[in-house]
Amino acid sequence: HIVSGNPDVAGTSTLRDVFVNDYWGRPITNNPSTHKSWRPLTILSFRWMNGGGILGWSPLFVHRIVNVLIHAAAAETCSIAAT
C-alpha cells in the first residue's frame, strides 16, 4: 500500500507534499487519521525508484543500491558524530 496507494510515491503530488505529508501520503497537520510518521527521504527514494530503473537496471536493483548508499551515509554520520 505504501508504494501503490501513495500519491507522494507515485509522483502525482508535488515535491512539497512529500515534506508535509506523513509516510502514507496524508497531510500531517490538522488530520486526526495520521500517526505523524514523517519519512521524506524514504518517500523520495521510493518515488525515484517508482519511476523505473536507471540505465536499464531493474527497480529492485536500484532499490538495493539506494538502500546501501543511505545506510553508508548514516554510518558515516554516526562515525563523524562519535569523534
Side-chain angles (χ1 to χ4, degrees), residues 2-80:
I2 186 65
V3 174
S4 63
N6 189 335
D8 294 340
V9 173
T12 57
S13 65
T14 65
L15 193 57
R16 181 188 173 281
D17 289 339
V18 172
F19 292 95
V20 296
N21 291 344
D22 68 4
Y23 187 64
W24 304 102
R26 296 177 295 215
I28 289 179
T29 56
N30 300 326
N31 186 354
S33 69
T34 183
H35 52 74
K36 309 286 192 247
S37 177
W38 188 69
R39 303 174 196 162
L41 292 179
T42 304
I43 296 300
L44 285 173
S45 69
F46 284 157
R47 184 176 183 147
W48 180 48
M49 290 179 290
N50 193 41
I54 296 172
L55 302 174
W57 298 342
S58 73
L60 178 60
F61 182 73
V62 173
H63 175 72
R64 289 179 177 163
I65 294 296
V66 169
N67 193 19
V68 167
L69 292 174
I70 289 172
H71 278 83
E76 184 64 21
T77 301
C78 289
S79 173
I80 291 169

